Amino acid sequence: MVLLKAIRPAICCSSSVFDGGHLIPVDKVSFVKFPLPASWLSMRLNSGNNAKLSLIQATEESSMPITNDHAAAISGENLHQIAANGKATNIVWHKSPIGKLNRQELLQQKGCVIWITGLSGSGKSTVACALCHALHSRGKLAYILDGDNVRHGLNRDLSFKAEDRAENIRRIGEVAKLFADAGIICIASVISPYRKDRDACRALLPEGDFIEVFLNVPLHICEARDPKGLYKLARAGKIKGFTGIDDPYEPPLHCELELPQKGNICASPCEMAETMISYLEEKGYLQA
Amino acid sequence: MAALKMVQPPVSCSSSGSDCGPLVPVPKIGFVKLPSFSMGLNGSNYARLSLVQATEESNVAMTNGRAAVVSGENPPQMVTNGKAGNIVWHRSSVGKVHRQELLQQKGCVIWITGLSGSGKSTLACALCQALYSRGKLTYILDGDNVRHGLNRDLTFKAEDRAENIRRIGEVAKLFVDAGVICIASVISPYRRDRDACRALLPEGDFIEVFMDVPIEICEARDPKGLYKLARAGKIKGFTGVDDPYEPPLNCELSLPPKGNSCASPSEMAETVMSYLEEKGYLQA
């Protein structure tokens, strides 16, 4: 049985704390509930009540015999039980006492992911920028994850093979999830042509926090714009598998917003951003 | 030559805007300066020239077997290994400076490194709490948390462990750009991997905090029972036991401070807070 020392308020998030306090014996894998001290409840932040019970989950560590070839070498990097395929299985979350609700109270908004999808040239980046600007002018914190920006850094190891493209979208989804958890309105602006990949990202987030925005602009308009000259290259056969030309774009079946709206197909990016702002406002994302 | 339509102010960030406005012919790879705009926020003038960089797209000859399939997912120029070549940044009109002004803080990464059981997660939580109580926005990237999601495809082989750290570094960089004080709490035993993460960020924005706790103390704590397993030979390559931990040579902070080796997590958090305050990260 691992001994867990109760930590002084306001720290109660790790089983590895050694502050003064009384000993609370716990099983190696177990929960310890720590009451939040009154000092936390009186923490003044936009008059919200941030009292939370902090659950501490002791990290599950297994004794995995390393006698067979399947088990990967295990380092001190947060050891986990290793399945035969070498992937981590029963990893347990460390829960911080400062959670999403606290951050949302601080920011006076709710974190979410606005996933803007559409053909190349449909205006995703433009609308993303317009939305970001509109949110910022209202004092809201937003951040854009753009397919290109992310490929500069996190995803620079990925190529354009099919599996890497799926991985590109998966990682963007996971990062967007982290940003939403941080309380940020995260705007992902990626073609993301396959429903399966977008739906997988949707599944990462709580209901409602994944807001799919489909830029429904006909191919011929996108091609007439051709802001990056890609359609021309694709038509000339210089690019293979170009979405919309010789690779499919699968439009969403149940997206939250479709732009431009019927009856206002000439809407400017600013107008489309305002439509999105109205949606966010209505759904309560522009307040804690 | 590709024509670029001027976008309406204040949207001025993408080459794919198609609002009404004068046509500005630009070369396919080029810069277009659009008129600045001002955003009223905290009385500051955020007028910025928005540079629009047309995304470089190349015509990659698909006649050889090595060139990867190029999709519409913003394909860049391909080099023969299929990796993206000269991708160009989209510049948003709302930048890091704006976000920092909104948050009244500067984004940075606090990279907490040390042996298992040295108290990284505990310090991270204490620091998060201290910053929150001062109205600052933070986010913790913990080795375990990230392995639940972004890095769930990674194993514990050496190359995957390096990749785990690399991705955490890249995500931390994104958070910093968002203006967040990002706390990374990972053993990250190899100097090379930590230094690679440092290199991703502007000078000063990567704050390396070394939890300099002797292995005997970590092992005595053994909060996860790992040292016991490692000593019994049940775990191979465990940092500190049979895999090296390379302490930082030039970290910004080493904790606990000399002369206060019994400092509590709260006290150590205050040390970090003082550092952040001194360096100006707790204001815009």
Side-chain angles (χ1 to χ4, degrees), chain A residues 154 169 286:
Chain A
L154 174 67
I169 297 303
L286 302 189

Side-chain angles (χ1 to χ4, degrees), chain A residues 120-281:
Chain A
S120 175
S122 55
K124 299 182 297 299
S125 293
T126 307
V127 169
C129 285
L131 177 60
C132 201
H133 182 269
L135 285 165
H136 190 67
S137 68
R138 287 165 171 79
K140 304 303 173 192
L141 183 65
Y143 193 71
I144 296 177
L145 294 177
D146 182 281
D148 281 338
N149 290 1
V150 177
R151 274 190 181 271
H152 271 280
L154 174 67
N155 292 352
R156 65 170 188 257
D157 59 315
L158 299 178
S159 69
F160 285 87
K161 294 183 297 193
E163 57 269 30
D164 278 1
R165 278 151 59 186
E167 176 65 5
N168 180 52
I169 297 303
R170 184 194 76 82
R171 289 187 199 173
I172 291 172
E174 290 285 1
V175 173
K177 176 182 177 178
L178 293 172
F179 272 82
D181 189 49
I184 297 169
I185 297 169
C186 182
I187 306 163
S189 165
V190 274
I191 296 176
S192 48
Y194 302 116
R195 260 180 226 126
K196 182 180 75 167
D197 296 338
R198 297 192 305 261
D199 290 348
C201 291
R202 178 186 285 276
L204 296 174
L205 285 128
E207 181 81 35
D209 287 0
F210 183 90
I211 299 159
E212 192 172 20
V213 178
F214 172 35
L215 279 218
N216 188 8
V217 177
L219 175 66
H220 66 272
I221 293 182
C222 296
E223 190 161 356
R225 293 172 181 172
D226 204 5
K228 301 170 186 173
L230 296 179
Y231 285 97
K232 187 174 174 184
L233 293 171
R235 292 291 185 195
K238 302 265 177 73
I239 304 175
K240 295 285 188 288
F242 187 78
T243 302
I245 303 295
D246 58 348
D247 208 70
Y249 178 80
E250 298 171 352
L253 299 173
H254 303 289
C255 58
E256 280 69 21
L257 279 174
E258 188 174 313
L259 297 168
Q261 294 172 303
K262 306 283 179 252
N264 190 12
I265 55 173
C266 292
S268 69
C270 288
E271 287 169 331
M272 289 193 277
E274 284 304 316
T275 302
M276 293 159 79
I277 293 277
S278 298
Y279 178 91
L280 291 171
E281 208 143 34

Side-chain angles (χ1 to χ4, degrees), chain B:
Chain B
M1 182 179 290
L4 176 76
K5 282 198 174 179
M6 182 81 72
V7 297
Q8 261 172 5
V11 177
S12 53
C13 58
S14 167
S15 60
S16 58
S18 61
D19 276 309
C20 310
L23 283 169
V24 177
V26 295
K28 193 194 293 189
I29 306 165
F31 290 81
V32 176
K33 283 192 182 172
L34 295 171
S36 62
F37 57 90
S38 62
M39 220 157 34
L41 254 150
N42 299 322
S44 305
N45 177 6
Y46 292 100
R48 296 270 183 285
L49 266 188
S50 288
L51 292 176
V52 175
Q53 288 173 263
T55 305
E56 160 75 25
E57 308 297 349
S58 74
N59 54 353
V60 178
M62 305 305 299
T63 53
N64 65 67
R66 282 192 284 173
V69 172
V70 179
S71 80
E73 196 75 59
N74 298 314
Q77 188 165 40
M78 288 297 177
V79 293
T80 52
N81 64 357
K83 296 285 196 306
N86 50 327
I87 300 179
V88 174
W89 286 96
H90 288 297
R91 201 82 173 269
S92 164
S93 58
V94 177
K96 185 179 177 185
V97 173
H98 302 109
R99 291 185 284 267
Q100 292 181 158
E101 186 67 36
L102 184 66
L103 294 170
Q104 285 296 295
Q105 63 187 53
K106 289 189 181 68
C108 60
V109 177
I110 300 165
W111 191 277
I112 307 175
T113 176
L115 292 170
S116 175
S118 56
K120 298 181 299 297
S121 293
T122 307
L123 174 63
C125 287
L127 183 57
C128 198
Q129 167 70 32
L131 284 162
Y132 178 67
S133 67
R134 285 168 173 74
K136 304 305 174 192
L137 181 67
T138 63
Y139 196 69
I140 295 178
L141 293 176
D142 182 281
D144 280 338
N145 290 1
V146 177
R147 273 190 181 272
H148 270 280
L150 174 66
N151 293 351
R152 65 170 187 257
D153 60 315
L154 300 178
T155 68
F156 288 87
K157 293 184 298 193
E159 58 269 30
D160 279 0
R161 280 152 57 186
E163 175 66 4
N164 180 51
I165 297 303
R166 184 193 77 82
R167 289 188 199 172
I168 292 172
E170 289 285 1
V171 173
K173 178 182 176 177
L174 293 171
F175 272 103
V176 170
D177 191 48
V180 177
I181 296 171
C182 181
I183 305 164
S185 165
V186 275
I187 296 177
S188 49
Y190 303 116
R191 256 179 231 130
R192 184 182 69 174
D193 295 339
R194 297 191 306 262
D195 290 348
C197 292
R198 179 186 285 276
L200 296 174
L201 286 131
E203 181 81 35
D205 287 0
F206 184 89
I207 299 160
E208 193 172 19
V209 177
F210 173 37
M211 298 297 288
D212 188 5
V213 178
I215 189 169
E216 307 79 51
I217 294 181
C218 296
E219 192 161 355
R221 293 172 179 172
D222 203 5
K224 302 171 185 173
L226 296 179
Y227 285 95
K228 186 175 176 184
L229 293 170
R231 294 292 182 193
K234 300 265 179 72
I235 305 173
K236 295 285 188 285
F238 187 77
T239 302
V241 176
D242 59 345
D243 207 69
Y245 178 81
E246 299 171 353
L249 300 174
N250 293 301
C251 58
E252 280 69 20
L253 283 172
S254 180
L255 295 170
K258 303 288 177 240
N260 191 10
S261 57
C262 295
S264 69
S266 291
E267 288 168 334
M268 289 193 279
E270 284 305 316
T271 303
V272 181
M273 292 291 287
S274 299
Y275 178 90
L276 291 172
E277 206 144 30
E278 185 193 313
K279 298 293 181 182
Y281 286 95
L282 303 189
Q283 58 198 51

